[in-house]
Amino acid sequence: MAIKAFLFSVLFLLITSIAHAQCAMCRAVLESEEGGLKAEAVNDGIVWLMAFPYILVGIVFYMIYRMKFGKKKNTTTS
């Protein structure tokens, strides 16, 4: 179950690179430009700014998971 949730999260984050999100003011300014090169750059910047917090949180949760479940103590007694 945890593996499915992890894979879903990774795929969800990868799909965000397809999205073209902009605030209303950015869209109004960049739609008036010819060619749309700046508009694509702004969209890419927004996606990168959105993705990094999710990546960092994922790394923190992975580190916590490794600290909690990573090492099993051998408790066998003779």
Side-chain angles (χ1 to χ4, degrees):
M1 181 68 182
I3 294 173
K4 288 182 182 179
F6 175 75
L7 290 175
F8 176 76
S9 300
V10 169
L11 289 174
F12 184 74
L13 289 175
L14 292 175
I15 290 173
T16 59
S17 65
I18 298 170
H20 295 286
Q22 286 182 343
C23 68
M25 291 189 67
C26 294
R27 182 178 295 275
V29 169
L30 294 174
E31 281 181 350
S32 63
E33 179 195 348
E34 295 294 324
L37 195 58
K38 269 190 190 176
E40 288 183 25
V42 169
N43 281 336
D44 292 341
I46 290 170
V47 169
W48 279 105
L49 288 172
M50 180 187 71
F52 276 111
Y54 289 108
I55 292 169
L56 292 175
V57 168
I59 291 170
V60 168
F61 280 125
Y62 176 73
M63 291 172 63
I64 291 171
Y65 176 80
R66 288 287 307 239
M67 286 183 353
K68 187 168 183 173
F69 297 111
K71 296 181 181 178
K72 300 287 184 183
K73 295 182 181 178
N74 191 359
T75 58
T76 58
T77 56
S78 300

